[in-house]
Amino acid sequence: MLIQNPPQRIDWLHVASVPALLMLFTLVGLVMLMNTQPFSFGDAERYLAMAQSPWVFTDAPWGYRIGVPYLAAWLSPLFNGIHSAFFALQLLFYATFLTALYLWLRWGLKLNILACACACLLFIFSYPGVYNLHNSVHVGLAEHLGILLGCIAIYHRSFRSLLLLLVITAFVKENIGLLLIPTWAWVTYRSEGWRPALLTTLPLLAVFFSLYLLLRSGVLFQGGIDLSTYTGFYNAAWLAYVYQYWGGVLGAIKMVVATFGPLWLTYALAMWQNPGQQRLRWMGILPLLACGQILLATDVWRMVGLGAPMVIALSAVVMDRLPRHSCVVLVCLNTLYFLAFNNTLKTLMAALFALAFVALWFYRQRLNFSLNQPQLDPQLDKFS
């Protein structure tokens, strides 16, 4: 008897690409560590204290983010120390983030290889990419990975995957759920209406806030109900301090714009024109939600940087429709913009910026494009 539906053969090239990309991006992380300067660190001493003394509460709100510090403590015998365990974890999260980003853009969004590779370069030469890579005793890269995986679940309408992710990442950092749940609600509302949005968002909120309150109730760390360690952290005096730290509203706006620099333009372009990925465009609300977080934090760059998965994904959609040389110009502009903040060769950077803008002007006619139709050189597809 003939088999009606024979099983599909395993695409071993796809299977092999995952460990290959992980190894490649691990090497990239090591190279970037050696050739970039660290930005100012924050909160590392608290996460280190958590790993050195598990189940001993440190300070709110850091003390509730037990996932990565406790994992580092558990793995420390394998790496001969907690610092080495933290470093290995951050490098793993870094490589996994870039691998997941590339594979989602390539397999999930069906973008061309050049656009996917350029998108990875946009993160590699970015504030969130380098800050979190250097600041190894931290939860930042795990946080970015959680947000990216959540974006993938939202795009592919996977409610169960998102719910499971929220359960896991509740022990990593609260920002993940606070960004992903409103994004899911908005996208579901736009695509399916208010009733499905309400019926699916309420369970997400219930699970997230149950874990959120459990961690902050005092039961796990104080042995009884005590919310003062958390509720006492955010108050009017703290908000006034944050406002002054920014330099007022104008100072906050400058730092928000500086976080992604030229990538805000490609993000805005993808949001303005129809990229053929309407659901992806609705998900573009996530970077705006990330900007809203600065109301409670002094580190504007770090908070705004959490929108990187969607800023880069939407930029990749734009690059998918650009000529190849224009993609290279965009990546070079972003890289030079980043390097201007990450080294002291200001004169050299200014010269390189000038050259980049000359190249951009030279190709100005090629940049008159519409996002409704792909314009990438079709010959590139033969390498796909």
Side-chain angles (χ1 to χ4, degrees):
M1 179 183 293
L2 294 176
I3 300 176
Q4 297 295 331
N5 295 306
Q8 295 182 349
R9 294 181 179 179
I10 297 176
D11 191 334
W12 292 107
L13 182 60
H14 281 185
V15 173
S17 65
V18 176
L21 287 170
L22 284 171
M23 289 187 289
L24 171 63
F25 289 129
T26 299
L27 179 61
V28 168
L30 293 172
V31 171
M32 291 297 290
L33 278 171
M34 292 185 292
N35 292 279
T36 55
Q37 297 178 358
F39 293 96
S40 59
F41 287 179
D43 309 335
E45 70 283 355
R46 294 179 172 90
Y47 296 119
L48 180 60
M50 292 165 62
Q52 291 172 333
S53 302
W55 299 110
V56 175
F57 187 74
T58 55
D59 299 306
W62 307 275
Y64 306 112
R65 302 162 185 169
I66 62 178
V68 176
Y70 285 17
L71 185 58
W74 179 60
L75 294 174
S76 60
L78 298 177
F79 293 96
N80 297 319
I82 291 177
H83 283 88
S84 298
F86 264 114
F87 177 77
L89 284 173
Q90 292 297 78
L91 202 58
L92 174 63
F93 292 140
Y94 180 83
T96 304
F97 176 92
L98 286 169
T99 299
L101 176 65
Y102 179 89
L103 294 179
W104 178 43
L105 297 177
R106 182 66 182 143
W107 297 350
L109 301 187
K110 308 298 182 183
L111 304 185
N112 64 74
I113 292 176
L114 179 62
C116 298
C118 287
C120 291
L121 287 172
L122 294 181
F123 182 78
I124 290 169
F125 291 98
S126 70
Y127 174 82
V130 173
Y131 169 84
N132 290 294
L133 189 60
H134 278 281
N135 195 6
S136 59
V137 184
H138 208 273
V139 301
L141 285 171
E143 182 181 21
H144 276 77
L145 177 59
I147 293 172
L148 172 61
L149 294 178
C151 290
I152 295 174
I154 293 171
Y155 179 79
H156 294 284
R157 297 177 172 85
S158 182
F159 174 81
R160 293 181 180 178
S161 298
L162 181 60
L163 182 62
L164 177 61
L165 183 72
L166 291 176
V167 171
I168 297 173
T169 57
F171 299 92
V172 176
K173 201 172 182 187
E174 61 275 9
N175 301 73
I176 300 173
L178 293 175
L179 291 177
L180 292 178
I181 294 175
T183 302
W184 168 273
W186 172 250
V187 173
T188 306
Y189 164 73
R190 292 301 305 268
S191 60
E192 302 176 36
W194 69 267
R195 188 180 297 273
L198 182 64
L199 293 177
T200 55
T201 302
L202 286 177
L204 296 178
L205 288 172
V207 170
F208 175 75
F209 281 110
S210 295
L211 292 170
Y212 187 89
L213 293 175
L214 172 65
L215 286 170
R216 287 155 177 76
S217 65
V219 174
L220 294 179
F221 301 104
Q222 280 80 35
I225 302 298
D226 181 11
L227 298 176
S228 61
T229 54
Y230 190 72
T231 56
F233 184 78
Y234 294 117
N235 48 49
W238 170 256
L239 295 177
Y241 171 76
V242 168
Y243 184 81
Q244 293 174 356
Y245 187 91
W246 294 342
V249 175
L250 183 59
I253 293 174
K254 289 179 179 179
M255 286 186 280
V256 168
V257 173
T259 303
F260 292 116
L263 295 189
W264 282 124
L265 298 177
T266 50
Y267 163 81
L269 185 60
M271 292 288 287
W272 174 49
Q273 294 198 32
N274 181 8
Q277 297 280 1
Q278 190 75 311
R279 189 174 182 86
L280 195 70
R281 186 165 67 161
W282 291 331
M283 290 169 60
I285 193 177
L286 190 144
L288 303 181
L289 295 172
C291 293
Q293 294 182 110
I294 68 173
L295 295 175
L296 298 175
T298 55
D299 195 338
V300 174
W301 286 36
R302 183 147 53 98
M303 294 296 100
V304 177
L306 296 179
M310 285 312 305
V311 170
I312 292 174
L314 288 167
S315 297
V317 170
V318 172
M319 290 188 292
D320 187 64
R321 288 154 175 80
L322 280 173
R324 282 179 292 178
H325 44 64
S326 299
C327 294
V328 174
V329 169
L330 174 61
V331 171
C332 289
L333 281 174
N334 179 73
T335 302
L336 295 174
Y337 174 81
F338 166 78
L339 291 176
F341 289 95
N342 197 252
N343 71 77
T344 58
L345 302 177
K346 302 296 184 183
T347 303
L348 177 60
M349 289 302 102
L352 291 174
F353 263 120
L355 290 175
F357 278 115
V358 168
L360 189 63
W361 174 258
F362 180 75
Y363 289 119
R364 64 190 185 281
Q365 297 298 330
R366 297 291 190 95
L367 292 175
N368 293 325
F369 69 100
S370 171
L371 288 177
N372 294 322
Q373 296 294 330
Q375 295 192 16
L376 193 79
D377 190 339
Q379 292 185 353
L380 186 68
D381 290 339
K382 68 182 180 180
F383 298 107
S384 303

